[in-house]
Short mmCIF file of all heavy atoms in Angstrom, two decimals:
data_model
loop_
_atom_site.label_atom_id
_atom_site.label_comp_id
_atom_site.label_asym_id
_atom_site.label_seq_id
_atom_site.Cartn_x
_atom_site.Cartn_y
_atom_site.Cartn_z
N SER A 1 7.35 47.14 -19.52
CA SER A 1 6.43 47.81 -20.44
C SER A 1 5.56 46.80 -21.18
O SER A 1 4.36 47.03 -21.38
CB SER A 1 7.21 48.65 -21.45
OG SER A 1 7.90 49.68 -20.79
N ALA A 2 6.14 45.69 -21.59
CA ALA A 2 5.38 44.65 -22.29
C ALA A 2 4.31 44.06 -21.38
O ALA A 2 3.16 43.84 -21.81
CB ALA A 2 6.31 43.56 -22.80
N ILE A 3 4.66 43.81 -20.13
CA ILE A 3 3.68 43.27 -19.18
C ILE A 3 2.53 44.26 -18.99
O ILE A 3 1.35 43.88 -19.01
CB ILE A 3 4.36 42.94 -17.83
CG1 ILE A 3 5.33 41.78 -18.00
CG2 ILE A 3 3.32 42.61 -16.77
CD1 ILE A 3 6.24 41.55 -16.80
N ALA A 4 2.86 45.53 -18.81
CA ALA A 4 1.84 46.56 -18.64
C ALA A 4 0.95 46.67 -19.87
O ALA A 4 -0.28 46.77 -19.77
CB ALA A 4 2.48 47.91 -18.33
N LEU A 5 1.55 46.62 -21.05
CA LEU A 5 0.80 46.72 -22.29
C LEU A 5 -0.17 45.56 -22.45
O LEU A 5 -1.32 45.74 -22.87
CB LEU A 5 1.76 46.78 -23.49
CG LEU A 5 1.11 46.92 -24.86
CD1 LEU A 5 0.33 48.22 -24.94
CD2 LEU A 5 2.16 46.87 -25.94
N VAL A 6 0.25 44.36 -22.11
CA VAL A 6 -0.63 43.19 -22.20
C VAL A 6 -1.83 43.37 -21.27
O VAL A 6 -2.97 43.11 -21.66
CB VAL A 6 0.13 41.89 -21.89
CG1 VAL A 6 -0.81 40.73 -21.68
CG2 VAL A 6 1.10 41.57 -23.02
N GLY A 7 -1.58 43.82 -20.05
CA GLY A 7 -2.68 44.03 -19.11
C GLY A 7 -3.67 45.06 -19.61
O GLY A 7 -4.89 44.84 -19.56
N VAL A 8 -3.18 46.18 -20.09
CA VAL A 8 -4.06 47.24 -20.59
C VAL A 8 -4.80 46.77 -21.85
O VAL A 8 -5.99 47.03 -22.02
CB VAL A 8 -3.25 48.52 -20.86
CG1 VAL A 8 -4.08 49.56 -21.59
CG2 VAL A 8 -2.74 49.09 -19.56
N ALA A 9 -4.10 46.06 -22.73
CA ALA A 9 -4.73 45.59 -23.97
C ALA A 9 -5.84 44.58 -23.68
O ALA A 9 -6.91 44.65 -24.31
CB ALA A 9 -3.68 44.95 -24.88
N LEU A 10 -5.60 43.67 -22.76
CA LEU A 10 -6.64 42.71 -22.41
C LEU A 10 -7.87 43.40 -21.83
O LEU A 10 -9.01 43.03 -22.12
CB LEU A 10 -6.11 41.66 -21.44
CG LEU A 10 -5.12 40.66 -22.02
CD1 LEU A 10 -4.54 39.78 -20.92
CD2 LEU A 10 -5.77 39.80 -23.10
N HIS A 11 -7.63 44.42 -21.03
CA HIS A 11 -8.75 45.18 -20.47
C HIS A 11 -9.51 45.91 -21.57
O HIS A 11 -10.74 45.90 -21.61
CB HIS A 11 -8.24 46.18 -19.44
CG HIS A 11 -9.32 47.02 -18.86
ND1 HIS A 11 -10.03 46.66 -17.75
CD2 HIS A 11 -9.83 48.21 -19.25
CE1 HIS A 11 -10.92 47.58 -17.46
NE2 HIS A 11 -10.82 48.54 -18.38
N ALA A 12 -8.77 46.55 -22.48
CA ALA A 12 -9.40 47.32 -23.55
C ALA A 12 -10.13 46.43 -24.56
O ALA A 12 -11.23 46.77 -25.02
CB ALA A 12 -8.36 48.17 -24.26
N LEU A 13 -9.52 45.31 -24.92
CA LEU A 13 -10.10 44.46 -25.97
C LEU A 13 -11.24 43.58 -25.48
O LEU A 13 -12.24 43.40 -26.19
CB LEU A 13 -9.01 43.57 -26.57
CG LEU A 13 -7.92 44.29 -27.36
CD1 LEU A 13 -6.81 43.32 -27.76
CD2 LEU A 13 -8.52 44.96 -28.59
N PHE A 14 -11.10 43.04 -24.29
CA PHE A 14 -12.07 42.07 -23.81
C PHE A 14 -12.88 42.54 -22.60
O PHE A 14 -13.75 41.83 -22.13
CB PHE A 14 -11.37 40.74 -23.46
CG PHE A 14 -10.64 40.14 -24.62
CD1 PHE A 14 -9.26 40.11 -24.63
CD2 PHE A 14 -11.32 39.62 -25.71
CE1 PHE A 14 -8.56 39.56 -25.69
CE2 PHE A 14 -10.64 39.07 -26.78
CZ PHE A 14 -9.25 39.04 -26.77
N GLY A 15 -12.52 43.71 -22.07
CA GLY A 15 -13.23 44.22 -20.91
C GLY A 15 -12.90 43.49 -19.62
O GLY A 15 -13.65 43.58 -18.66
N TRP A 16 -11.78 42.79 -19.62
CA TRP A 16 -11.37 42.06 -18.42
C TRP A 16 -10.79 43.06 -17.42
O TRP A 16 -9.62 43.42 -17.48
CB TRP A 16 -10.33 41.00 -18.75
CG TRP A 16 -10.84 39.91 -19.63
CD1 TRP A 16 -12.14 39.63 -19.95
CD2 TRP A 16 -10.06 38.94 -20.33
NE1 TRP A 16 -12.22 38.55 -20.79
CE2 TRP A 16 -10.94 38.10 -21.04
CE3 TRP A 16 -8.70 38.70 -20.41
CZ2 TRP A 16 -10.51 37.05 -21.81
CZ3 TRP A 16 -8.27 37.65 -21.19
CH2 TRP A 16 -9.17 36.82 -21.88
N TRP A 17 -11.60 43.52 -16.49
CA TRP A 17 -11.18 44.54 -15.53
C TRP A 17 -10.01 44.08 -14.68
O TRP A 17 -9.24 44.88 -14.19
CB TRP A 17 -12.36 44.93 -14.62
CG TRP A 17 -12.86 43.79 -13.80
CD1 TRP A 17 -13.89 42.94 -14.15
CD2 TRP A 17 -12.38 43.34 -12.54
NE1 TRP A 17 -14.05 42.00 -13.18
CE2 TRP A 17 -13.14 42.21 -12.17
CE3 TRP A 17 -11.37 43.77 -11.69
CZ2 TRP A 17 -12.92 41.53 -10.99
CZ3 TRP A 17 -11.15 43.09 -10.51
CH2 TRP A 17 -11.93 41.99 -10.16
N TRP A 18 -9.87 42.80 -14.51
CA TRP A 18 -8.84 42.24 -13.63
C TRP A 18 -7.48 42.08 -14.32
O TRP A 18 -6.49 41.80 -13.66
CB TRP A 18 -9.29 40.88 -13.08
CG TRP A 18 -9.80 39.96 -14.15
CD1 TRP A 18 -11.09 39.80 -14.53
CD2 TRP A 18 -9.02 39.11 -15.00
NE1 TRP A 18 -11.18 38.88 -15.56
CE2 TRP A 18 -9.91 38.45 -15.87
CE3 TRP A 18 -7.66 38.84 -15.10
CZ2 TRP A 18 -9.48 37.55 -16.82
CZ3 TRP A 18 -7.23 37.94 -16.06
CH2 TRP A 18 -8.14 37.30 -16.91
N ALA A 19 -7.41 42.24 -15.62
CA ALA A 19 -6.17 41.99 -16.36
C ALA A 19 -5.07 43.01 -15.99
O ALA A 19 -3.91 42.63 -15.84
CB ALA A 19 -6.42 42.02 -17.86
N ASP A 20 -5.45 44.26 -15.84
CA ASP A 20 -4.45 45.28 -15.51
C ASP A 20 -3.87 45.07 -14.10
O ASP A 20 -2.65 45.09 -13.94
CB ASP A 20 -5.06 46.67 -15.67
CG ASP A 20 -4.03 47.77 -15.68
OD1 ASP A 20 -2.89 47.52 -16.11
OD2 ASP A 20 -4.37 48.90 -15.27
N PRO A 21 -4.70 44.82 -13.08
CA PRO A 21 -4.13 44.54 -11.75
C PRO A 21 -3.27 43.26 -11.73
O PRO A 21 -2.25 43.21 -11.03
CB PRO A 21 -5.35 44.40 -10.84
CG PRO A 21 -6.44 45.11 -11.53
CD PRO A 21 -6.16 44.99 -12.99
N VAL A 22 -3.66 42.25 -12.48
CA VAL A 22 -2.86 41.03 -12.54
C VAL A 22 -1.51 41.31 -13.19
O VAL A 22 -0.47 40.80 -12.74
CB VAL A 22 -3.62 39.90 -13.28
CG1 VAL A 22 -2.72 38.73 -13.59
CG2 VAL A 22 -4.81 39.44 -12.44
N ALA A 23 -1.51 42.13 -14.22
CA ALA A 23 -0.24 42.51 -14.86
C ALA A 23 0.65 43.26 -13.87
O ALA A 23 1.87 43.02 -13.81
CB ALA A 23 -0.51 43.37 -16.09
N ALA A 24 0.04 44.15 -13.07
CA ALA A 24 0.82 44.87 -12.07
C ALA A 24 1.41 43.90 -11.04
O ALA A 24 2.57 44.04 -10.64
CB ALA A 24 -0.06 45.91 -11.38
#
């Protein structure tokens, strides 16, 4: 859950589209 949250948060805060797939 923490890994998923970091990926989603990075995408939401900075617009890094690749953060969520990298977290996955």
Side-chain angles (χ1 to χ4, degrees):
S1 296
I3 293 169
L5 182 62
V6 167
V8 171
L10 289 173
H11 178 89
L13 293 173
F14 301 110
W16 295 347
W17 62 267
W18 49 266
D20 194 29
V22 168

